[in-house]
Amino acid sequence: MAKAVYPGSFDPVTLGHLDIIERTAKMMDHVIIGVLNNNSKSPLFSVEERVNMLKNVTSHLDNVEVQSFGGLLVDFVHQNHADVIVRGLRAITDFEYELQLAQTNRVIAPDVDTIFLTTNLKYSYLSSSIVKEIAGYHGDISGFLPPEIARIVRDKIRSRQ
Ligand code: PNS
């Protein structure tokens, strides 16, 4: 049974994330999306909201589950008896940070490997931060997020202004 953890902040989940999740779900027997519970990053959405949004957009995928985690990612991987961490690589600018993350994780947990999927070219420029910035100025975010998530983001921004 190949089991993968796909970790991230997902604040909010984008079409780029969903593309990686769907492709990982095809390759692995089971995928656990690990939503980082870390208030020091001051997320727009609470961890419960982020988990619920991910559950909503992955409900069509039978072998995908969503959990939140705090603390070290490799501990979460061990607790779930997973084999690998999956991360998406958008561009060369992601590489240095992702390599540092993967190498550090491998030093503290040599049994855990990280595999990288190149992001679909359509979404290679996309990030949750950019989407939040556009939404903050009431720009059109419909091309970046699943429709139900775009609605939730617009509502959240409106409620904060
Ligand atoms: O979507 P993000 O914010 O780029 O995801 C970053 C994430 C969650 C993968 C990373 O911050 C993480 O693994 N945090 C957990 C703490 C940890 O294990 N740190 C040591 C790894 S260097």
Side-chain angles (χ1 to χ4, degrees):
M1 271 281 282
K3 206 188 241 193
V5 165
Y6 178 49
S9 303
F10 304 108
D11 187 42
V13 56
T14 66
L15 287 173
H17 294 131
L18 194 54
D19 172 61
I20 298 283
I21 294 166
E22 285 173 342
R23 285 159 58 203
T24 305
K26 278 192 195 149
M27 287 187 293
M28 300 284 166
D29 295 302
H30 196 74
V31 182
I32 300 167
I33 303 172
V35 183
L36 183 67
N37 186 2
N38 179 356
N39 286 333
S40 71
K41 281 200 171 181
S42 311
L44 177 62
F45 292 98
S46 71
V47 69
E48 292 80 14
E49 288 173 317
R50 286 177 278 142
V51 164
N52 285 336
M53 286 190 277
L54 276 154
K55 283 186 176 166
N56 181 334
V57 297
T58 59
S59 58
H60 61 297
L61 300 168
D62 291 341
N63 60 341
V64 173
E65 69 173 290
V66 188
Q67 294 184 31
S68 62
F69 77 100
L72 287 179
L73 172 59
V74 290
D75 290 341
F76 180 68
V77 172
H78 283 151
Q79 279 154 22
N80 284 285
H81 307 289
D83 308 288
V84 290
I85 296 167
V86 171
R87 293 283 287 171
L89 273 183
R90 288 168 300 190
I92 194 74
T93 41
D94 280 343
F95 185 74
E96 209 169 305
Y97 170 67
E98 292 299 334
L99 188 66
Q100 185 184 32
L101 210 75
Q103 300 289 37
T104 309
N105 283 334
R106 211 163 138 66
V107 169
I108 55 179
D111 59 319
V112 178
D113 259 311
T114 302
I115 63 173
F116 297 102
L117 294 190
T118 51
T119 301
N120 187 320
L121 264 186
K122 272 197 298 192
Y123 309 125
S124 61
Y125 57 89
L126 188 52
S127 74
S128 299
S129 315
I130 296 268
V131 169
K132 284 183 283 189
E133 183 162 344
I134 296 168
Y137 294 111
H138 305 290
D140 180 9
I141 52 171
S142 59
F144 312 130
L145 306 176
E148 58 274 43
I149 305 298
R151 230 175 357 256
I152 293 170
V153 171
R154 283 189 214 103
D155 289 348
K156 174 70 96 180
I157 298 279
R158 258 198 301 271
S159 75
R160 291 212 157 183
Q161 287 175 341

